[in-house]
Amino acid sequence: MPPLITSFHCRVFLFVWFFVIAAPLFGCHGLTSRNTQPTTSHPNPEILTAHPSGFYVHIPYCRRRCRYCNFAIVPVGLSINQQGSFASIHQQYQADILQELDLLPPPKQSMLSSIYFGGGTPSLAPIEMIQEILRRIMNKFNMDVNAEITMEMDPGTFTLDYLQSLKDSGINRISLGVQSFDDSILEIMGRVHRQSDIMDAIQMIRQVYGD
């Protein structure tokens, strides 16, 4: 099957995983299925209907590829122009994710206990994209009242207003990509941010989410 988005060589990564006693049967393969409807691939569909599950959404945007990175990403540059080439890439990718969501059948009587936006750098995505994906997921699946909804973010890629909008939208956990507090190591790794960006990011997260 060819990639959904051939213009920048990246598939839509939209997976549902299930926490069961027999979890080792899944291994890594349970999270890397290339099927457009990954929830139907398990040999015993009844397992998928009786256990809490998690939802992973891959946002591939990155400012550039770090030297250690072997993930599925799309470098979009250090300064994103929402009206330029990024807008075209973003609109296509968002449309494909929402289409995948519409095609995905919800497991019967299952309840989501986790939603995870990973990347890439999800905090480079426009807030409207995150909000719409969350809305679609919550409308399709039953949500655990204590569900953990996580967003991966890089220092220097978000503002206080963006962070507040995430919280207002239901994001209740932030995974901040720090890697190191040593600027020389960050440079060797090819990271864009520096220690000052990390401290600013931590301060904003504390301001919005508390300690």
Side-chain angles (χ1 to χ4, degrees):
M1 178 180 174
L4 292 174
I5 311 171
T6 56
S7 60
F8 57 95
H9 311 291
C10 185
R11 286 182 181 271
V12 170
F13 286 83
L14 195 63
F15 305 123
V16 180
W17 69 90
F18 299 87
F19 304 108
V20 296
I21 295 176
L25 294 176
F26 287 93
C28 295
H29 303 291
L31 301 181
T32 56
S33 169
R34 295 301 180 94
N35 296 330
T36 56
Q37 295 186 6
T39 57
T40 63
S41 61
H42 194 274
N44 184 0
E46 293 302 317
I47 290 180
L48 304 186
T49 66
H51 297 273
S53 57
F55 207 101
Y56 174 81
V57 181
H58 188 75
I59 307 295
Y61 314 143
C62 275
R63 290 181 286 184
R64 69 186 184 200
R65 184 178 290 278
C66 298
R67 294 188 177 97
Y68 60 85
C69 176
N70 194 32
F71 299 112
I73 69 161
V74 179
V76 297
L78 300 183
S79 180
I80 293 178
N81 181 1
Q82 300 285 359
Q83 306 301 319
S85 59
F86 174 76
S88 176
I89 292 173
H90 158 66
Q91 289 166 7
Q92 181 63 61
Y93 193 74
Q94 177 174 320
D96 287 332
I97 283 184
L98 297 179
Q99 181 182 41
E100 291 282 301
L101 275 169
D102 290 340
L103 293 172
L104 189 65
K108 295 179 181 179
Q109 300 179 351
S110 185
M111 186 170 290
L112 283 185
S113 59
S114 174
I115 300 174
Y116 193 98
F117 288 86
T121 308
S123 48
L124 290 175
I127 186 64
E128 294 81 10
M129 176 184 186
I130 304 300
Q131 290 170 333
E132 180 60 19
I133 293 172
L134 269 177
R135 187 185 70 81
R136 296 283 185 100
I137 293 173
M138 291 177 174
N139 284 345
K140 180 167 288 251
F141 293 88
N142 294 320
M143 296 295 300
D144 189 306
V145 294
N146 295 315
E148 184 177 85
I149 306 178
T150 302
M151 179 90 158
E152 286 186 358
M153 309 182 79
D154 273 4
T157 64
F158 58 92
T159 64
L160 193 64
D161 288 342
Y162 187 94
L163 202 59
Q164 185 63 57
S165 294
L166 288 179
K167 183 179 180 181
D168 294 342
S169 300
I171 302 290
N172 55 25
R173 179 176 181 268
I174 301 298
S175 176
L176 187 65
V178 172
Q179 282 73 47
S180 176
F181 286 89
D182 187 321
D183 285 351
S184 63
I185 294 177
L186 291 170
E187 174 66 28
I188 292 171
M189 297 170 70
R191 299 293 284 166
V192 176
H193 67 264
R194 294 295 180 263
Q195 184 189 65
S196 60
D197 300 312
I198 296 171
M199 302 313 295
D200 288 344
I202 292 173
Q203 181 60 37
M204 284 191 287
I205 293 170
R206 282 178 170 168
Q207 186 171 339
V208 173
Y209 285 90
D211 293 331

